[in-house]
Amino acid sequence: MVSRLLRCRFGVSCGGSPETSGTRQCLPTTAQRSSACLAPIGMLFAIMLYGSNKAYLYCSVAFLQFMKEANVVLVFLFSAMCGLQFINRQRVFVIAWVILGSTLCVSGELNFVFIGFMIQGLSQFAECMRAVIAEIVLSGNDFKLDPMSYTMFVAPVCLLVLVIGNALIWEQAVLDDLAVWWPYLIPNACIAFCLNVTIAQVIKETSAVGFIITGVVKDIALVVFSSVVFHDLITMKQWLSFTVTLSGVFFWSFMKINPNHPIIGSFEKMLGVGWGPFPGASLGTKKGLDETAPLIPAKSV
């Protein structure tokens, strides 16, 4: 609703293509073309919202953030399946690195609750799939929606799914809680709108993988905050495992930013890149191995 009001009143656009920026007449056509992608995004968004909030009833904030570090791996694998990313042995090694750290974090949880773990896992699966499909809609050759239009199209689907879900599990206590907490819910909803537009902008300008990596700083802050403020019990094993996971995520970013660095060269030699029956290719080559270079070729006009 907010997106529609801003677009209709001010023509607000956030870096969209000529198809969607500065004109309202083309929005229905864009919506028809991209409905096959936007509807699943809205449904996945609703599943992610419900699951991520439900998981807090069973697990600590720190534990859930430990699990979310695996999102980098999930998004990359989904992106590779869609032809948006390139797989090589260097990235597979770092993926295994991140998985190892995340697994150790989860296994070190003292108050492990399986149902909370499963709900959070479902939420993360939905979030990663949503991010990959959003990249296709925001940056693909067929759509290239701007973030404001993207939010306007996705939000109603998400609302519809959540309304149906609430109707199935409705409790009268919901209205009682609403009467108490509405002064907090309204500003929270406004912040959530700004966050959704910002997330869409980040995915559009970078990629789904880039968006997940930017969330590492948030994860660090939340783990520290939950430990200091909420006094969540975090074992030394989990701190060390979290450090292993973060180092893998940061090394992933380092490979992307500076593939010609001597450290990356030594890392590739350790993996046997450039020799043997399967030599592979160095990340520093110019042969289209940049992780932002899609395997799906651009359509000729």
Side-chain angles (χ1 to χ4, degrees):
M1 181 183 295
V2 176
S3 297
R4 185 175 295 275
L5 289 174
L6 288 175
R7 286 199 64 95
C8 293
R9 177 64 181 85
F10 302 105
V12 175
S13 175
C14 300
S17 66
E19 290 185 38
T20 57
S21 299
T23 174
R24 295 189 298 274
Q25 285 76 7
C26 63
L27 289 180
T29 302
T30 305
Q32 292 171 1
R33 291 172 54 206
S34 55
S35 59
C37 288
L38 292 172
I41 291 175
M43 296 177 64
L44 290 169
F45 190 22
I47 294 172
M48 184 271 292
L49 287 175
Y50 176 80
S52 60
N53 285 281
K54 186 73 172 179
Y56 283 115
L57 298 177
Y58 302 97
C59 305
S60 66
V61 174
F63 176 74
L64 296 180
Q65 299 311 126
F66 291 151
M67 287 189 62
K68 287 182 180 180
E69 297 311 305
N71 283 0
V72 177
V73 176
L74 291 175
V75 168
F76 176 74
L77 292 178
F78 293 154
S79 297
M81 292 177 186
C82 296
L84 300 173
Q85 301 290 342
F86 187 91
I87 289 183
N88 55 26
R89 74 185 69 177
Q90 297 94 313
R91 290 171 181 161
V92 170
F93 183 90
V94 179
I95 285 173
W97 181 349
V98 174
I99 289 176
L100 174 63
S102 300
T103 303
L104 292 175
C105 283
V106 173
S107 64
E109 176 67 14
L110 296 178
N111 301 312
F112 180 80
V113 180
F114 182 75
I115 183 64
F117 172 79
M118 293 300 297
I119 292 174
Q120 179 62 24
L122 177 63
S123 172
Q124 289 180 221
F125 180 86
E127 181 180 9
C128 294
M129 285 295 297
R130 176 183 71 98
V132 173
I133 301 175
E135 181 182 350
I136 296 174
V137 172
L138 291 164
S139 305
N141 298 317
D142 295 330
F143 308 117
K144 291 187 178 179
L145 285 177
D146 64 85
M148 196 68 72
S149 299
Y150 166 83
T151 305
M152 180 178 69
F153 293 144
V154 170
V157 180
C158 178
L159 176 63
L160 178 62
V161 174
L162 290 175
V163 167
I164 295 175
N166 272 282
L168 295 176
I169 59 172
W170 179 258
E171 296 180 2
Q172 183 61 33
V174 173
L175 294 179
D176 299 333
D177 293 337
L178 177 62
V180 175
W181 293 103
W182 71 265
Y184 300 92
L185 293 175
I186 292 178
N188 183 274
C190 294
I191 295 174
F193 164 74
C194 297
L195 176 63
N196 290 332
V197 175
T198 303
I199 288 174
Q201 186 69 42
V202 171
I203 293 176
K204 183 177 181 65
E205 297 299 331
T206 58
S207 65
V209 175
F211 157 64
I212 296 298
I213 290 176
T214 58
V216 172
V217 177
K218 177 201 69 176
D219 296 337
I220 296 173
L222 284 175
V223 169
V224 174
F225 185 83
S226 65
S227 177
V228 174
V229 177
F230 298 126
H231 304 291
D232 287 342
L233 182 59
I234 302 175
T235 65
M236 181 57 64
K237 178 183 177 181
Q238 287 180 305
W239 280 118
L240 293 175
S241 303
F242 190 46
T243 303
V244 171
T245 305
L246 291 179
S247 63
V249 173
F250 282 119
F251 190 77
W252 180 288
S253 304
F254 184 66
M255 286 197 308
K256 179 178 182 296
I257 295 171
N258 197 355
N260 293 308
H261 195 278
I263 294 178
I264 303 301
S266 301
F267 171 65
E268 292 175 338
K269 288 181 180 178
M270 180 189 72
L271 296 178
V273 175
W275 60 276
F278 303 101
S282 171
L283 293 175
T285 60
K286 303 296 183 181
K287 194 179 178 181
L289 297 182
D290 180 30
E291 89 170 18
T292 60
L295 298 181
I296 301 176
K299 293 183 178 180
S300 57
V301 179

